[in-house]
Every structure is written in C-alpha cells, then in structure tokens.
C-alpha cells in the first residue's frame, strides 16, 4: 500500500466521515451574518476552532477540510490549525480550487478555476502538514444544461488537479457536484450524475491518477429542490448506488457524499439507507451544512455558548456515524437519545 492509498483509506475508515469546513471567506462571512455574528477574521477563526476542538470529534471524523485562511490561522493555544488538528487525531485537508467562473460570457454554466500555480501551492500545503485536498466542480441542471463542453471542462480540471495532488503527496478529494437547484426529476439527476462521473473517471484514467489514492465526493441522486417531488431514503439509495456502480471503478478508495443543501436528518437517513446496499467501496459522508448548521446556530458567536455549539456538532456526527454502522433510527435525532 502506498502512502497515498493509506491516507485515502484512513479518510474513509469504517465509521468515520470527513467534515467540510472550507467555506470561502465570502460564503463563511454570509453564513456568520445570517446567524447574527459579525463577519470578522477572528469570528471565522473562532468558529472553526469550535468545530475542530469538539471533544471526541476524531471518533467519528477522520479529517477536516479547511480553506486557505483557516489553514494559516492558529488555535487559541498557539498552534497552527493543521498541527493542532494532527494532535487531535484529525487529518488536515485544504480546499485548493479558487472558485467558479462562467464557462462563457452570460452562461449559467461554470468551470472551476485554480490550476495556475497549483503545483507550488500544493507543495506548500503538503509542507505545512496537509494530508489531502479538495476541488469542487459545479454542474447545473437546467434547460439545455449541462452541456458537453461544461462536463468536459470540469472533468479535465478535476483530473489535472488530482494528478498534481498525487505528484505532491496529497490525496485528492474529487468533487463533481450536480446541484439540487432546479425542477428536474430524480431520473434526470441520475442521468446527469452518470454523465458527469463518466467524464471525470475517463479524465482521471487518461492522466494516470491512482484511483486507490482518490476519494470521490459526489452528490446523492435526488429530485430537484423545486420539482415538488420527494424521494424516500430507499429510492435515493438505490438510484445513487446504481449510478455509482455503473460509473465508478472499484479501485477508488471511497465515496464521501456532500449534503448539497438537503435537510440534515434527510441526508443522514439517505446515507443510512445506502449502507444496506452492497458496493465495492466504502460509502461515507463529507458534509458541510448538514453537520455544522446546528452548531453555528447554537454558538451564535457567544464565547459562553461554545460548548453548546460543540454539542450540536457532536450530535450530528453521532447520527451520521450511526448511519455508517447501520444502527441509525430517526429516534436518534432527539438530542438526548444519541
Ligand atoms: P455541503 O455538504 O454543505 O454541500 O458541503 C460540502 C462541500 O464540501 C461542498 O463543497
């Protein structure tokens, strides 16, 4: 086993998921303000410290994805975040894309940017203690979209990023996210997710990316948020696993789902239903909002409420680890039951 495949296996170890706390400065600032917290550099730092220092976090979380700002900040005790996280038993991850840009002027489709100078940035992050990286491509379903051009541009960028990560000793999280936004049906989401995954896998293979040193981070297959349709966890699980089984080689180290804006308990119930199906890779979570929204609301920027915020995060982590261990029931959603 290579170092990369060992790290990838540790990221998706049984009973563990990955915490996505890598919102950009502007997204994090907007979320703080929505929670009534001033959007300062110090509040962004304090909030991320609350998350990573949650007691017992490493029992259900293998690693935490940071953005560049947090990666270079320090916890109150003085250590840089990556070092403090290693001491807590958490693998440090770093989001390295620089965001999305329109594919062409006026287009609703985007390509994710950040390849220029990426090798040097990855070498810096690896030196500073990162174990893995993340790059998110965004695929939007709409009338006439996604176009083949959008799928190709994003697949190519993801594969170039993944190849550079492995060259520099980092495990790439490869995230082709098909957005929930829209009126589409679950079968349209399945079709587009398959097309996006086929493109990415083909580009990864073309660039000789070692699949056992890759963690794939896809969306779950769900109906569009404005479709008026509801799919129960068994249907989401079946559709999602069918798409993945048809498109993702068995060598991939593991699959860690994003939550994509689903209500937290729904994302957990869907994840739990997937554990009942047989797959060649471990299936786990790499949620952002579905893990941290309750923690941010409970903390509300008050130093006296840090422990309450941490309890809210620990609760969501324990519900999701219960899902991985096939012992999740909706009853566990009650805070006093988990
Ligand atoms: P959500 O789970 O909130 O979709 O975030 C996961 C993530 O990392 C998006 O890039």
């Amino acid at each position: 086993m290579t170092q990369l495949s060992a790290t990838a296996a540790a990221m998706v170890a049984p009973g563990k998921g990955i915490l996505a706390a890598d919102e950009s400065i502007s997204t994090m600032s907007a979320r703080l303000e929505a929670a009534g917290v001033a959007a300062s550099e110090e509040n962004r730092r304090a909030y991320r410290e609350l998350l990573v220092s949650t007691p017992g976090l490493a029992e259900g979380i293998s690693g935490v994805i940071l953005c560049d700002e947090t990666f270079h900040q320090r916890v109150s005790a003085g250590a840089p975040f990556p070092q403090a996280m290693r001491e807590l038993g958490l693998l440090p991850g770093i989001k390295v894309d620089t965001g999305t840009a329109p594919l062409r002027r006026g287009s609703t489709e985007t390509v994710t940017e950040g390849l220029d100078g990426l090798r040097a940035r990855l070498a810096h992050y690896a030196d500073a203690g990162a174990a893995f990286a993340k790059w998110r491509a965004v695929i939007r379903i709409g009338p006439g979209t996604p176009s083949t051009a959008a799928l190709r541009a994003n697949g190519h960028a993801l594969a170039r990023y993944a190849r550079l990560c492995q060259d520099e000793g980092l495990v790439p999280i490869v995230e082709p996210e098909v957005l929930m936004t829209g009126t589409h049906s679950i079968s349209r989401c399945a079709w587009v997710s398959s097309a996006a995954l086929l493109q990415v896998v083909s580009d990864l293979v073309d660039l000789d990316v070692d699949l056992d040193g890759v963690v794939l981070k896809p969306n779950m297959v769900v109906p569009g948020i404005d479709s008026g349709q509801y799919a129960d966890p068994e249907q989401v699980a079946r559709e999602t696993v069918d798409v993945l089984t048809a498109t993702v080689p068995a060598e991939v180290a593991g699959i860690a789902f994003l939550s994509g804006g689903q209500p937290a308990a729904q994302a957990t119930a869907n994840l739990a239903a997937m554990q009942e199906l047989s797959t060649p890779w471990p299936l786990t979570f790499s949620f952002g909002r579905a893990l941290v929204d309750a923690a941010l609301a409970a903390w509300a920027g008050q130093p006296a409420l840090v422990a309450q915020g941490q309890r809210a995060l620990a609760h969501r982590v324990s519900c999701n680890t219960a899902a991985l261990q096939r012992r999740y029931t909706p009853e566990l959603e009650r805070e006093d039951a988990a």
Side-chain angles (χ1 to χ4, degrees), residues 20 22 134 136 175 177 217 258-261 286-290:
D22 61 327
K134 173 189 128 173
R136 171 176 176 255
E175 180 177 4
E177 174 173 5
K217 178 164 173 168
L258 58 92
S259 63
S286 175
F287 298 158
R289 287 162 284 180

Side-chain angles (χ1 to χ4, degrees), residues 41 65 76 105 123 137 139 219 244 249 318 326:
E41 182 177 339
I65 318 172
S76 335
R105 197 185 297 277
I139 309 295
N219 51 284
L244 293 170
S318 76
R326 303 171 75 180

Side-chain angles (χ1 to χ4, degrees), residues 1 20 47-48 98 116 205 216 222 270:
M1 198 180 230
Y47 168 62
R48 266 59 176 260
T98 56
D116 287 357
V205 170
L216 183 70
V222 292
N270 290 341

Side-chain angles (χ1 to χ4, degrees), residues 120-170:
R121 288 197 291 127
L122 293 171
H124 160 73
Y125 290 129
D127 268 0
F132 66 93
K134 173 189 128 173
W135 180 291
R136 171 176 176 255
V138 180
I139 309 295
R140 185 178 291 276
I141 301 181
T145 72
S147 63
T148 306
L151 295 177
R152 284 199 182 138
N154 280 295
H156 174 77
L158 276 167
R160 288 267 287 121
Y161 141 82
R163 182 63 264 162
L164 290 168
C165 280
Q166 292 192 340
D167 286 352
E168 301 306 322
L170 296 173

Side-chain angles (χ1 to χ4, degrees), residues 16 22 233 255-256 288:
K16 293 202 183 188
D22 61 327
I255 295 189

